[in-house]
Amino acid sequence: MTALERSWFEEAQQSMHGWDFSHLAGRWQTADLPWDYAALVREHLSADDRWLDIDTGGGELMGRFNHQPALTAVTERWQPNIELLKQTVVKKGITLYPDAAEQLTAVPNSTFDIVTNSHGAMPVKRIAEVLKPGGRFVTQQVGATNNYALSRFFDEHYEPAYPDNQLLTVMAQMQAAGFEILRAEQAYAALSFTDVGAIVYYATVIPWEFPRFDVARMLPKLHQLQSLLAINGRVTTFEDRFMIIARKLARCD
């Protein structure tokens, strides 16, 4: 086994805490989207709002908004993240709703002025139910075709794990649940990796896009990527993203 191959196996053994890709700093680059999700949240999040952040990960993004802990609640499905949140945000006074089924089962109805969701599950009907009438919903989602070319490169039989997570489909679901769509956009952003080890790490921590990824089995593919990377110094795929801002109509309560 070569030193390069050993480094790929080591990348596959790395772990991630919360939703933190700092391990890839300087090794990948994503083109800007035509919107700024954080700016959209700040635009719609008022100081006295009761706020729910869905699938908050380790709370990294949620924490950047410095909202009052007593008015903030989060959901999370992954048990390691739940344990992390108990030791961090819960101790600050933020409410945590463990949500293994990603259906907001424990979240009380008609409670929140705003619900946000960055790349989380989308139980649209339940989101409408937990919002107060007139409440806002702000989401940025990973579309069904995210990294499709790279996923198919590794597995010719790959099919998207969430094929219905598309802008038009979700907008229709939201209208049926009683939302007024205020803004909706979709975009594709180039995602470039500057070393194959970074791709190995990325594929390992996102198994729903690379469900059968295994370094030993993928060695020929990885060497092929290494030769392609030598041509222009990077391997590029495309991220599929869409955003929606919506308001719950009064008739939904």
Side-chain angles (χ1 to χ4, degrees):
M1 183 184 299
T2 68
L4 182 61
E5 290 171 341
R6 280 195 298 273
S7 74
W8 294 339
F9 279 98
E10 290 170 0
E11 288 289 350
Q13 299 304 312
Q14 298 289 332
S15 60
M16 183 170 68
H17 299 283
W19 193 244
D20 178 7
F21 286 92
S22 59
H23 180 69
L24 296 181
R27 306 167 66 191
W28 69 340
Q29 183 177 13
T30 305
D32 291 337
L33 292 168
W35 63 82
D36 181 336
Y37 173 75
L40 297 175
V41 173
R42 290 191 177 94
E43 179 183 344
H44 291 274
L45 178 62
S46 299
D48 58 352
D49 278 344
R50 295 194 66 86
W51 173 33
L52 176 68
D53 188 45
I54 294 174
D55 283 348
T56 198
E60 299 87 359
L61 178 57
M62 177 273 299
R64 289 166 50 187
F65 298 104
N66 297 313
H67 199 59
Q68 294 184 63
L71 297 177
T72 304
V74 299
T75 73
E76 175 57 30
R77 66 168 295 274
W78 195 42
Q79 193 60 41
N81 280 349
I82 290 172
E83 297 305 318
L84 174 64
L85 292 166
K86 288 177 179 177
Q87 299 303 314
T88 53
V89 304
V90 171
K91 290 186 175 181
K92 297 177 181 179
I94 291 172
T95 300
L96 167 64
Y97 297 104
D99 190 26
E102 296 188 308
Q103 292 297 315
L104 310 184
T105 306
V107 181
N109 288 353
S110 301
T111 299
F112 297 96
D113 301 290
I114 182 170
V115 173
T116 58
N117 181 329
S118 175
H119 304 182
M122 286 278 285
V124 172
K125 186 174 184 296
R126 282 295 295 141
I127 291 169
E129 290 171 347
V130 304
L131 275 168
K132 298 176 183 177
R136 288 90 63 207
F137 178 52
V138 181
T139 186
Q140 176 176 291
Q141 287 289 306
V142 177
T145 62
N146 196 65
N147 293 320
Y148 184 78
L150 188 59
S151 295
R152 291 281 290 191
F153 174 81
F154 285 121
D155 180 1
E156 63 182 10
H157 301 296
Y158 168 79
E159 295 295 339
Y162 306 101
D164 294 326
N165 206 39
Q166 304 180 49
L167 179 59
L168 288 177
T169 299
V170 175
M171 287 177 66
Q173 292 172 349
M174 293 186 69
Q175 286 183 326
F179 281 101
E180 175 190 12
I181 308 296
L182 304 178
R183 180 179 172 187
E185 293 186 37
Q186 184 170 16
Y188 293 88
L191 171 62
S192 299
F193 297 90
T194 56
D195 70 84
V196 174
I199 297 174
V200 170
Y201 175 82
Y202 188 73
T204 301
V205 300
I206 307 183
W208 54 92
E209 289 186 5
F210 304 92
R212 288 171 285 276
F213 185 84
D214 175 79
V215 174
R217 190 164 57 86
M218 294 296 172
L219 279 176
K221 293 280 190 179
L222 295 175
H223 279 291
Q224 189 173 7
L225 284 178
Q226 186 68 28
S227 66
L228 294 173
L229 187 145
I231 296 172
N232 62 2
R234 63 188 60 233
V235 171
T236 300
T237 181
F238 286 87
E239 296 187 316
D240 179 356
R241 295 287 185 271
F242 64 88
M243 57 79 70
I244 300 175
I245 301 173
R247 182 175 66 89
K248 175 182 174 178
L249 298 173
R251 63 180 174 84
C252 291
D253 59 2

